[in-house]
Amino acid sequence: MSTAPATAPTVWEDFDVPAHARGGQVTLNLYDHLAAYAPKRPGAYLRISSDRFGLEAGVDRQLADAQDSRTRLRWGPFAKIYRENDTSAFKKRRVVKPDGSIDWIVLRPEFRQLLADLAHGVIDGVIF
């Protein structure tokens, strides 16, 4: 007898898609369902494109705003804060893959870590 591995509960586990909406072009109103969801271990993503002097004042202001939002929404304390100061969200870098092909990608390691942590249940919500 084998048992399936336990998975982390998701916000969607009790969400039921109406039969008339399955496989069709129907817009679902998720507000009522999501409005009651309050993450217990949220993360905060702070990023600013340009910080010529390295003062981090922009991301510090974003953290204060994120704390205010977290409090207003009644979410739990931040489990993790992801900071990318002086990091472009648009500028691409040339990367040579192991097979020799060239790709242009945006490098935002903290954002990638946030997505991985969200997928693995380290955090259960994001304020950005």
Side-chain angles (χ1 to χ4, degrees):
M1 182 172 135
S2 67
T3 59
T7 59
T10 69
V11 68
W12 305 109
E13 65 187 14
D14 64 342
F15 184 75
D16 188 28
V17 177
H20 71 277
R22 293 185 196 130
Q25 298 266 334
V26 175
T27 301
L28 299 173
N29 177 4
L30 301 178
Y31 178 78
D32 293 337
H33 183 71
L34 293 176
Y37 180 66
K40 306 237 187 297
R41 303 171 320 280
Y45 181 67
L46 318 172
R47 187 196 59 77
I48 195 152
S49 296
S50 178
D51 183 4
R52 293 189 308 176
F53 303 110
L55 300 175
E56 298 195 12
V59 290
D60 288 343
R61 283 190 301 272
Q62 289 178 11
L63 179 56
D65 290 344
Q67 290 284 16
D68 290 345
S69 295
R70 184 193 58 75
T71 302
R72 181 177 42 78
L73 293 168
R74 297 186 177 133
W75 287 13
F78 286 127
K80 199 164 177 185
I81 296 174
Y82 305 84
R83 296 174 74 102
E84 289 189 317
N85 191 55
D86 200 28
T87 304
S88 172
F90 200 68
K91 188 186 301 180
K92 296 185 181 195
R93 296 192 177 129
R94 182 178 184 252
V95 175
V96 179
K97 294 182 179 180
D99 67 0
S101 64
I102 295 172
D103 200 359
W104 292 88
I105 62 171
V106 175
L107 297 178
R108 288 187 283 162
E110 287 296 307
F111 184 72
R112 287 178 182 250
Q113 185 63 56
L114 176 145
L115 294 176
D117 288 349
L118 189 60
H120 291 101
V122 173
I123 59 173
D124 59 353
V126 179
I127 291 179
F128 55 93

